[in-house]
Amino acid sequence: YSANQQTPDSAPTMTAMVTGVKTSDGVLSIDQDVARQEKDNAVIQAHKLTTILELAKARGMSTGVVTTARVTHATPAATYAHTAERDWETDSKLPAGTSVKDIAAQAVDNFAANHGMEVLMGGGRTYFMPNTKFDPEYPTVKGRRKDGRDLTSEWQTKFNGKYVWNKAQFDAIDPANTKSLLALFEPSHVQYEADREKMDGAGEPSIAEMTDKAIDILQKNKKGFFLMVEGGRIDHGHHAGNAYRALTDTIAMSDAVRKAMEKTDPEDTLIVVSADHSHVFTIAGYPKRGNPILGKVVGAGKTDFAKASDGMPYTTLSYANGRGYHVLPVGGDTSYNEPIQTGRVADMTHVDTTDQGFHQEALVPLSSETHAGEDVAIFA
Ligand SMILES: [Zn+2]
């Protein structure tokens, strides 16, 4: 829960995780006594909460943030930015009359005095580019900044840093001679793990590969380091009601955790793994062990589908709300224009529910599946 909601969004949850203080829906690393979308930077500065990343920086440690979402999205942003609106990710999203800097600008400006964060990797490239420039990977896409700043070049000049935007450039980065790395692989979020190889022309590293490179850069500092790694697209797969992509990205996150464990020593390194909130996602029925997790329920000792009271089979996985059942082609779950179909809408006897375009059934029709309020696990 957050200070004002029974079920939180990712702004107050990550604020709680990196500052130890619960705050309100939609605000990043400021306390709950500020109204959402407060425009006066003096108010933000008076109510800002120190983050663990900032504490690490102040102690001379190296710091890094890795995500599969935009690096300006709520979870990564809460580690380095202070604002009363999580959506103010670039300056063209700021309302008139605000003196609060946008999140992308804060990623550079908040660390100008101590030579920048050492690693910032993920998506959100256009939020760092002026609207006079075209995206290097998608020639019709432009930068989103109105203020003319090119934060990718500022990162390089101000922090003696490097900037990459595709897999070949990423692979060519030698951590031994890289002081600081900004890597932005997509105009917005990076691809889902399930789509990464077929959907991305210029190539993107996996979250495990990003974690690997980040630790190599950060580990050079004898004082130690802080690194936050977010499997941000797990959440997006669930919002789409598409368990295939949510779970595939969860496996990719698990690979990143394994990589971090291989590269560090528990004698001097604490690894904490958790989620910042749940989703209305259930594992239901009495499917037998070994039944496909994305499949329809088949009971222990049985070979036929278990039938619901309406005589139709049902999937093990479902959602309490969201977009509901339909099958979309590869990559199709990123379209939010499909009609919502909820409840028991079709006989799925002959539907391949393990297809990556399959969206699990949902009870309550919403354009996007929601977060949920149960406790989440913490592993350390
Ligand atoms: Zn979410």
Side-chain angles (χ1 to χ4, degrees):
Y1 65 95
S2 64
N4 65 340
Q5 291 189 175
Q6 292 176 329
T7 299
D9 82 295
S10 295
T13 56
M14 192 56 172
T15 297
M17 290 164 81
V18 297
T19 72
V21 179
K22 280 192 184 289
T23 192
S24 304
D25 175 46
V27 310
L28 297 171
S29 293
I30 57 173
D31 68 38
Q32 68 186 80
D33 296 327
V34 182
R36 188 163 179 178
Q37 303 203 333
E38 170 60 51
K39 292 181 180 181
D40 184 351
N41 192 45
V43 175
I44 301 300
Q45 294 305 313
H47 290 268
K48 78 178 186 183
L49 303 165
T50 304
T51 75
I52 188 171
L53 185 147
E54 292 166 336
L55 288 171
K57 255 288 165 205
R59 290 176 64 163
M61 297 165 79
S62 290
T63 57
V65 171
V66 169
T67 180
T68 52
R70 296 188 294 271
V71 298
T72 50
H73 211 236
T75 298
T79 66
Y80 63 79
H82 305 271
T83 180
E85 178 50 62
R86 58 175 285 176
D87 292 337
W88 293 349
E89 294 181 60
T90 193
D91 76 315
S92 58
K93 295 200 168 188
L94 293 171
T98 177
S99 54
V100 181
K101 282 187 182 172
D102 66 276
I103 292 167
Q106 290 196 39
V108 173
D109 296 347
N110 289 2
F111 301 92
N114 41 20
H115 314 297
M117 288 184 275
E118 281 68 25
V119 171
L120 184 59
M121 267 193 245
R125 192 162 57 220
T126 51
Y127 296 71
F128 289 73
M129 291 166 42
N131 58 14
T132 51
K133 269 196 171 177
F134 284 97
D135 186 79
E137 188 177 7
Y138 303 90
T140 59
V141 173
K142 275 185 158 179
R144 291 168 175 264
R145 300 199 67 80
K146 286 196 305 187
D147 61 5
R149 292 180 73 178
D150 182 342
L151 297 173
T152 66
S153 61
E154 287 189 34
W155 186 283
Q156 295 169 78
T157 53
K158 290 181 174 168
F159 306 145
N160 187 25
K162 294 178 179 170
Y163 167 62
V164 302
W165 60 267
N166 63 44
K167 179 74 159 59
Q169 294 172 342
F170 171 84
D171 289 342
I173 288 289
D174 177 6
N177 61 27
T178 301
K179 186 201 152 284
S180 157
L181 177 62
L182 175 66
L184 301 172
F185 297 106
E186 279 285 310
S188 181
H189 307 303
V190 305
Q191 301 286 347
Y192 286 107
E193 179 63 22
D195 305 325
R196 189 165 57 85
E197 292 194 343
K198 36 188 180 291
M199 299 287 284
D200 195 76
E204 296 170 1
S206 68
I207 190 171
E209 289 170 316
M210 289 196 278
T211 303
D212 188 358
K213 187 84 81 181
I215 293 173
D216 281 338
I217 293 169
L218 299 171
Q219 264 183 341
K220 296 187 297 179
N221 188 337
K222 295 290 172 246
K223 290 181 176 171
F225 67 91
F226 167 80
L227 172 64
M228 193 289 292
V229 177
E230 182 202 22
R233 303 230 67 194
I234 299 168
D235 176 70
H236 302 162
H238 284 310
H239 281 305
N242 179 225
Y244 185 102
R245 284 183 177 75
L247 295 180
T248 307
D249 263 275
T250 305
I251 295 166
M253 181 69 196
S254 168
D255 291 341
V257 174
R258 183 182 303 108
K259 179 59 70 178
M261 292 179 74
E262 285 168 7
K263 295 181 73 78
T264 56
D265 183 346
E267 286 293 317
D268 61 16
T269 306
L270 173 64
I271 299 178
V272 181
V273 182
S274 190
D276 65 336
H277 55 73
S278 172
H279 277 268
V280 294
F281 181 55
T282 62
I283 303 176
Y286 301 100
K288 62 185 175 185
R289 295 290 298 278
N291 199 51
I293 192 66
L294 295 166
K296 286 157 275 197
V297 172
V298 177
K302 302 280 174 42
T303 53
D304 291 340
F305 297 136
K307 299 282 172 58
S309 303
D310 57 13
M312 298 195 291
Y314 58 101
T315 54
T316 303
L317 303 178
S318 64
Y319 293 91
N321 63 36
R323 303 183 54 71
Y325 161 71
H326 48 220
V327 179
L328 293 174
V330 172
D333 76 305
T334 51
S335 163
Y336 283 78
N337 300 318
E338 295 292 322
I340 298 171
Q341 305 173 80
T342 49
R344 301 289 283 165
V345 293
D347 182 348
M348 288 189 293
T349 303
H350 302 294
V351 172
D352 179 7
T353 63
T354 68
D355 186 276
Q356 70 176 353
F358 181 76
H359 290 53
Q360 276 67 25
E361 287 183 308
L363 177 63
V364 177
L366 292 178
S367 62
S368 176
E369 180 266 7
T370 70
H371 297 175
E374 63 267 74
D375 291 343
V376 297
I378 301 177
F379 304 91

